[in-house]
Amino acid sequence: MTAVLRTENLRVEYKSRELKQQTKVALKGLNLTVQQGEVFGYLGPNGAGKTTTMNVLLGYVNATSGAAYLFDVNTREPIARQRIGYLPELTYYYKFLTAEELLRFYARIFEIPSAETEKRIDQLLKLVELDHARKRPIRTYSKGMQQRAGLAQALINNPDLLLLDEPTSGLDPLGRMKVREIIQRLKNEGKTVFFSSHELGEVETICDRVAIMYQGELKVEGRVTDLVKEFQCNLEQVFLKVVGYQPEPV
Amino acid sequence: MNKIFAISSVVIKELYRRKDFYVLFILTALITLATWVMNFFHDDNIVRFIKEICLALIWISSLIIAITTAARQIPAERESRTIFPLLAKPISRWQVLLGKFFGCWLASGFALLVFYIFFALVSASREHSLSVPAYFEAFWLHWQMLGIVVAMTLLGSVSLSTPPANMTMVFIVTLGILSMGGFLHLVSERMSEPSASIVTAIYFIIPHLELFNISELIIHDWPIAPWLDVLALTGYGLLYSAFFLLAGCLVFRRKALN
């Protein structure tokens, strides 16, 4: 199998501007590999280093030491993102554009030929059920519609790797179901999906493998079935054990 | 280049979907029409004076459009977080900045063209003559000057903390250069050292935006400027724009986004 996503001793430090404030280490030598065709769940409590990892993979933040690779290309190079799709947790799109204009804009960034772009826009807007609202500005969309427009933009380049940051947060049950269906469809097509989530039940249902981060370190990594067997409990309890959660006596 | 123009097209779409340009155009058009209507006696001196007022209005309006459009580009992308899905695509930061530059420059150029055409039509209707080459030269050089201002504003938008601070700074610098830039070396002659050397150095470093203002040729119906001079000034403008853009790219490349 080919490694689609790889980090090698990835360390990220944030230097504080305040005097006497210590440097914050967000990632402490992370080694992670995601193989082609996997649905990989990236878990951890807030502040565990999930967002920092995403930021390095997307080129927003440079590693202090070590490196991250997408399709064997260092993530410092913009071309590393040619074959990926990214869906942020919240919708951040140009609200004065319509959904089809937004998709056309991103297709131009990927340098997709015009005829192919139009074909994909039609397909994607049907897929995310926004075909009826394609000519309306995004600012008139409901939150769920905006999230679906986000999903469409993440798929515009027919990506081999999809990075999803809390893809179902803020969605209603129908929206969640739709996202799950799309992830499953992508998996069936042999695509790789890497997603961070707090919805452990959902992760257990969808993912092949998971990694649990805590305080910038990778604590556990493995197949969901293996972890459930090893810890003899469901994924939520595995997660709580790994992060050292002790329930207070009632 | 396709990626850069994709960014530019979004900047242009944003400008014409916002109300700023229309408000400024209507205001400028109303004042221009009102001043022309007031010219009952058709006195030559009054005509010149009115032309001067109208051109000054066009200069102010174009600076407002160029500076406010350019100043909000990167900060607005960061504030609305649209920069994140954008940079998650195979595009580098310098391409984003260059796209923003071309978008703002083209958008303010289009707005400028509308202003000049309107002004030319109004003056032609009263004077019954129109020197198209003179208006073209005035528009062209004015647009080159806006290129420098847009590049300077974009550099400010990635260096300074807030858009209002950037806008104020660029407005002051631009108006300062336009009004005093050409006289700095004369001022320095009356100064003692080291102030004289500092002012002389500033004179040689700053982009001389006042050189791009050939409104006088239109106001007094003087012969047009030699085309070689126009070409040289175009090169001069492009050089300064490139310098500010390069500096902007270097700052933006290192800028933490989160």
Side-chain angles (χ1 to χ4, degrees), chain A residues 13-40:
Chain A
E13 292 174 4
Y14 293 118
K15 288 191 176 74
S16 173
R17 286 184 181 182
E18 305 282 317
L19 282 173
K20 293 181 185 173
Q21 286 254 330
Q22 283 186 333
T23 300
K24 186 180 177 281
V25 183
L27 286 175
K28 300 170 186 169
L30 176 68
N31 287 298
L32 198 69
T33 306
V34 178
Q35 305 292 346
Q36 193 185 334
E38 277 187 328
V39 177
F40 193 93

Side-chain angles (χ1 to χ4, degrees), chain B residues 188-201:
Chain B
S188 72
E189 283 172 10
R190 296 179 186 181
M191 295 171 109
S192 55
E193 289 298 342
S195 312
S197 298
I198 293 169
V199 172
T200 308

Side-chain angles (χ1 to χ4, degrees), chain B residues 72-84:
Chain B
R72 67 168 173 250
Q73 289 305 317
I74 301 292
E77 287 263 9
R78 292 181 67 183
E79 198 182 311
S80 63
R81 303 179 76 81
T82 46
I83 193 87
F84 294 107

Side-chain angles (χ1 to χ4, degrees), chain A residues 9-250:
Chain A
N9 295 318
L10 186 64
R11 183 179 177 86
V12 176
E13 292 174 4
Y14 293 118
K15 288 191 176 74
S16 173
R17 286 184 181 182
E18 305 282 317
L19 282 173
K20 293 181 185 173
Q21 286 254 330
Q22 283 186 333
T23 300
K24 186 180 177 281
V25 183
L27 286 175
K28 300 170 186 169
L30 176 68
N31 287 298
L32 198 69
T33 306
V34 178
Q35 305 292 346
Q36 193 185 334
E38 277 187 328
V39 177
F40 193 93
Y42 197 49
L43 313 175
N46 293 336
K50 301 192 301 295
T51 305
T52 302
T53 312
M54 282 278 191
N55 286 346
V56 174
L57 292 173
L58 295 165
Y60 306 154
V61 169
N62 285 331
T64 309
S65 64
Y69 301 89
L70 294 173
F71 302 98
D72 286 330
V73 180
N74 194 309
T75 54
R76 284 171 183 259
E77 305 291 328
I79 197 68
R81 296 183 284 282
Q82 182 67 34
R83 291 165 65 190
I84 70 160
Y86 167 60
L87 177 67
E89 181 184 354
L90 298 169
T91 52
Y92 311 129
Y93 307 109
Y94 304 95
K95 305 255 160 99
F96 55 89
L97 293 182
T98 65
E100 64 175 18
E101 283 172 341
L102 182 81
L103 295 183
R104 209 169 282 133
F105 165 59
Y106 286 135
R108 279 183 77 184
I109 304 274
F110 282 106
E111 298 183 320
I112 301 168
S114 304
E116 181 63 24
T117 299
E118 296 309 314
K119 210 169 83 184
R120 285 193 198 173
I121 290 173
D122 288 341
Q123 283 171 353
L124 287 171
L125 290 177
K126 278 190 188 115
L127 177 76
V128 299
E129 295 167 8
L130 282 178
D131 203 27
H132 63 287
R134 61 190 295 162
K135 295 207 183 288
R136 269 170 47 196
I138 293 173
R139 66 167 171 267
T140 64
Y141 286 11
S142 66
K143 196 178 173 188
M145 287 168 84
Q146 288 188 19
Q147 191 72 351
R148 280 185 276 148
L151 194 57
Q153 68 79 28
L155 298 171
I156 190 68
N157 58 328
N158 191 18
D160 292 316
L161 167 64
L162 206 58
L163 298 175
L164 309 174
D165 192 1
E166 306 273 352
T168 55
S169 87
L171 288 184
D172 62 16
L174 275 174
R176 283 168 189 238
M177 186 63 79
K178 189 81 203 165
V179 171
R180 262 183 245 157
E181 274 173 26
I182 290 169
I183 292 174
Q184 194 59 49
R185 221 188 74 170
L186 291 167
K187 179 183 158 69
N188 295 342
E189 288 172 12
K191 312 277 188 191
T192 313
V193 181
F194 178 88
F195 79 99
S196 72
S197 180
H198 288 300
E199 302 286 334
L200 298 175
E202 189 173 82
V203 171
E204 194 169 351
T205 320
I206 309 173
C207 292
D208 301 313
R209 280 200 311 138
V210 293
I212 301 176
M213 297 288 294
Y214 187 57
Q215 293 181 340
E217 287 180 74
L218 177 63
K219 292 291 181 187
V220 168
E221 185 193 0
R223 298 193 70 77
V224 177
T225 46
D226 294 346
L227 291 177
V228 169
K229 206 179 281 177
E230 185 189 329
F231 285 83
Q232 305 223 317
C233 52
N234 65 21
L235 189 63
E236 187 172 78
Q237 285 157 334
V238 173
F239 177 85
L240 294 174
K241 278 183 187 173
V242 168
V243 302
Y245 175 74
Q246 297 290 334
E248 285 177 22
V250 182

Side-chain angles (χ1 to χ4, degrees), chain B residues 133-170:
Chain B
Y135 276 89
F136 175 75
E137 278 188 349
F139 159 75
W140 179 260
L141 290 178
H142 192 157
W143 187 43
Q144 302 309 310
M145 189 277 306
L146 287 183
I148 304 175
V149 173
V150 166
M152 196 158 60
T153 313
L154 283 173
L155 168 62
S157 78
V158 293
S159 320
L160 297 169
S161 55
T162 61
N166 181 26
M167 282 186 223
T168 312
M169 187 88 92
V170 177

Side-chain angles (χ1 to χ4, degrees), chain B:
Chain B
M1 281 309 270
N2 200 18
K3 294 177 185 183
I4 292 169
F5 287 125
I7 305 270
S8 308
S9 67
V10 171
V11 175
I12 295 167
K13 268 192 189 118
E14 187 190 7
L15 184 80
Y16 75 67
R17 285 181 188 174
R18 288 172 68 102
K19 306 283 182 289
D20 315 23
F21 166 68
Y22 302 104
V23 171
L24 267 176
F25 177 71
I26 290 166
L27 271 176
T28 310
L30 282 176
I31 298 170
T32 306
L33 283 173
T35 43
W36 279 104
V37 168
M38 279 191 290
N39 177 22
F40 299 117
F41 307 106
H42 300 284
D43 184 304
D44 271 1
N45 288 328
I46 293 178
V47 169
R48 282 185 203 133
F49 178 62
I50 290 170
K51 275 175 148 181
E52 202 167 346
I53 291 176
C54 295
L55 280 166
L57 273 173
I58 292 176
W59 271 76
I60 293 167
S61 301
S62 68
L63 282 176
I64 292 173
I65 290 174
I67 294 173
T68 54
T69 306
R72 67 168 173 250
Q73 289 305 317
I74 301 292
E77 287 263 9
R78 292 181 67 183
E79 198 182 311
S80 63
R81 303 179 76 81
T82 46
I83 193 87
F84 294 107
L86 178 61
L87 288 178
K89 310 282 184 283
I91 189 166
S92 51
R93 293 186 189 193
W94 69 263
Q95 285 173 314
V96 173
L97 203 72
L98 219 56
K100 295 287 184 191
F101 168 74
F102 280 118
C104 295
W105 193 31
L106 288 172
S108 42
F110 175 73
L112 190 66
L113 188 65
V114 173
F115 283 133
Y116 267 93
I117 289 174
F118 179 78
F119 173 65
L121 290 177
V122 172
S123 24
S125 71
R126 304 299 299 228
E127 293 183 315
H128 306 291
S129 68
L130 178 70
S131 169
V132 176
Y135 276 89
F136 175 75
E137 278 188 349
F139 159 75
W140 179 260
L141 290 178
H142 192 157
W143 187 43
Q144 302 309 310
M145 189 277 306
L146 287 183
I148 304 175
V149 173
V150 166
M152 196 158 60
T153 313
L154 283 173
L155 168 62
S157 78
V158 293
S159 320
L160 297 169
S161 55
T162 61
N166 181 26
M167 282 186 223
T168 312
M169 187 88 92
V170 177
F171 264 118
I172 291 171
V173 169
T174 305
L175 295 177
I177 293 174
L178 282 171
S179 55
M180 295 187 295
F183 310 110
L184 280 178
H185 63 304
L186 300 175
V187 174
S188 72
E189 283 172 10
R190 296 179 186 181
M191 295 171 109
S192 55
E193 289 298 342
S195 312
S197 298
I198 293 169
V199 172
T200 308
I202 292 172
Y203 175 77
F204 284 108
I205 290 169
I206 56 167
H208 284 275
L209 304 177
E210 76 281 358
L211 297 177
F212 295 85
N213 186 357
I214 56 164
S215 305
E216 298 282 302
L217 304 190
I218 293 180
I219 294 166
H220 301 288
D221 291 323
W222 286 341
I224 60 166
W227 288 103
L228 263 179
D229 292 2
V230 173
L231 191 70
L233 266 177
T234 304
Y236 176 81
L238 292 176
L239 208 68
Y240 265 101
S241 301
F243 168 76
F244 286 124
L245 278 175
L246 183 69
C249 287
L250 291 174
V251 176
F252 191 40
R253 200 180 62 165
R254 293 170 173 273
K255 197 95 182 165
L257 292 176
N258 53 336

